[in-house]
């Protein structure tokens, strides 16, 4: 007795559909960037001071923190943890050398890079705040100012020029001594469709 051809074809089509679904799921997982907070954290420094009650650790001297794609370089770094989870990192530069931050926020996109006199990295809120002669570069676009807030989830950047003291004010900075921000935005690349027409 031969099996029913209709039933056999249905089973083959179902198996083929499941195979295609499985392969596409694997490829999507491969493209997805794992959250950095789930990766192992490594911190190198010259000195460290631990306060277990407060849940803080202060690292000093050529500090380098890495966790997944996250990298923070500074002269001084304070880490605030809740259990095994990083809540906040505060990085500070020294002697004119800024603290530096870089991270690949989205798979397939270039690294976001930033520097400033002080960097506050809020892991849970997925937010970076830069203070003092700050600069952030994302997708070739450049933001400079005294205060920059970068929200990774909302993909927004807010920049503020801050205020100069009277001794720092210059004629082109305005009568109030307010500093100005600088934003450089790269032109959009033509799509393949536009290039062909």
């Amino acid at each position: 007795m031969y099996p029913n051809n209709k039933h056999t074809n249905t089973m083959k089509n179902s198996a083929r559909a499941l195979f295609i679904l499985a392969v596409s799921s694997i490829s999507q997982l491969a493209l997805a960037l794992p959250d950095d907070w789930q990766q192992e954290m490594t911190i190198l420094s010259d000195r460290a001071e631990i306060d277990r009650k407060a849940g803080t650790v202060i690292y000093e001297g050529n500090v380098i923190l890495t966790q997944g794609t996250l990298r923070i370089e500074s002269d001084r770094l304070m880490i605030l943890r809740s259990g095994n989870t990083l809540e906040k990192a505060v990085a500070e530069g020294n002697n004119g050398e800024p603290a530096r931050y870089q991270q690949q926020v989205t798979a397939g996109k270039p690294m976001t890079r930033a520097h400033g006199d002080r960097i506050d990295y809020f892991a849970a809120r997925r937010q970076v705040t830069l203070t003092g002669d700050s600069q952030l570069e994302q997708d070739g676009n450049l933001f400079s100012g005294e205060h920059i807030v970068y929200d990774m989830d909302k993909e927004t950047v807010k920049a503020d020029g801050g205020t100069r003291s009277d001794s720092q004010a210059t004629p082109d900075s305005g009568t109030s001594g307010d500093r100005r921000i600088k934003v450089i935005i790269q032109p959009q690349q033509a799509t393949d469709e536009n290039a062909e027409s």
Side-chain angles (χ1 to χ4, degrees):
M1 185 171 186
Y2 295 102
N4 185 337
N5 269 349
K6 189 175 182 182
H7 180 68
T8 304
N9 287 340
T10 304
M11 287 182 62
K12 283 182 182 178
N13 288 339
S14 296
R16 187 177 299 128
L18 283 173
F19 176 75
I20 291 169
L21 181 63
V23 169
S24 64
S25 298
I26 290 168
S27 63
Q28 285 174 356
L29 287 172
L31 290 173
L33 188 68
D35 288 327
D36 286 335
W37 64 270
Q38 294 176 321
Q39 307 296 317
E40 178 181 83
M41 181 189 297
T42 303
I43 302 171
L44 302 173
S45 69
D46 295 336
R47 297 171 299 282
E49 180 182 321
I50 300 170
D51 184 339
R52 291 195 186 274
K53 283 187 179 180
T56 61
V57 184
I58 296 172
Y59 299 90
E60 292 182 320
N62 195 25
V63 185
I64 300 172
L65 176 151
T66 56
Q67 186 179 29
T69 66
L70 171 66
R71 182 180 176 96
I72 296 175
E73 299 175 16
S74 61
D75 184 64
R76 184 177 189 274
L77 179 71
M78 184 193 76
I79 297 288
L80 178 61
R81 296 175 65 98
S82 175
N84 290 328
T85 306
L86 172 66
E87 295 252 327
K88 180 181 178 182
V90 179
E92 296 173 334
N94 191 18
N95 296 329
E97 188 64 33
R100 299 185 182 281
Y101 156 89
Q102 73 175 31
Q103 188 171 25
Q104 185 178 14
V105 179
T106 308
K109 289 195 174 182
M111 287 278 190
T112 296
R113 290 184 167 83
H115 68 258
D117 295 338
R118 173 176 165 147
I119 299 172
D120 289 70
Y121 176 80
F122 301 92
R125 288 192 296 193
R126 290 179 47 84
Q127 180 178 298
V128 177
T129 301
L130 309 164
T131 309
D133 198 17
S134 307
Q135 183 173 297
L136 183 136
E137 182 182 353
Q138 184 183 44
D139 287 335
N141 302 318
L142 198 64
F143 303 85
S144 299
E146 272 301 295
H147 185 78
I148 298 173
V149 179
Y150 170 47
D151 189 312
M152 296 175 224
D153 285 335
K154 295 178 183 174
E155 297 185 10
T156 59
V157 178
K158 294 179 184 176
D160 183 357
T163 304
R164 295 175 190 260
S165 65
D166 288 341
S167 62
Q168 293 174 315
T170 59
D172 63 346
S173 67
T175 55
S176 66
D178 288 344
R179 294 185 180 198
R180 295 170 64 82
I181 64 165
K182 183 177 183 180
V183 179
I184 300 173
I185 300 174
Q186 297 300 320
Q188 287 187 332
Q189 298 296 319
T191 62
D192 293 337
E193 294 170 8
N194 291 340
E196 289 172 5
S197 56

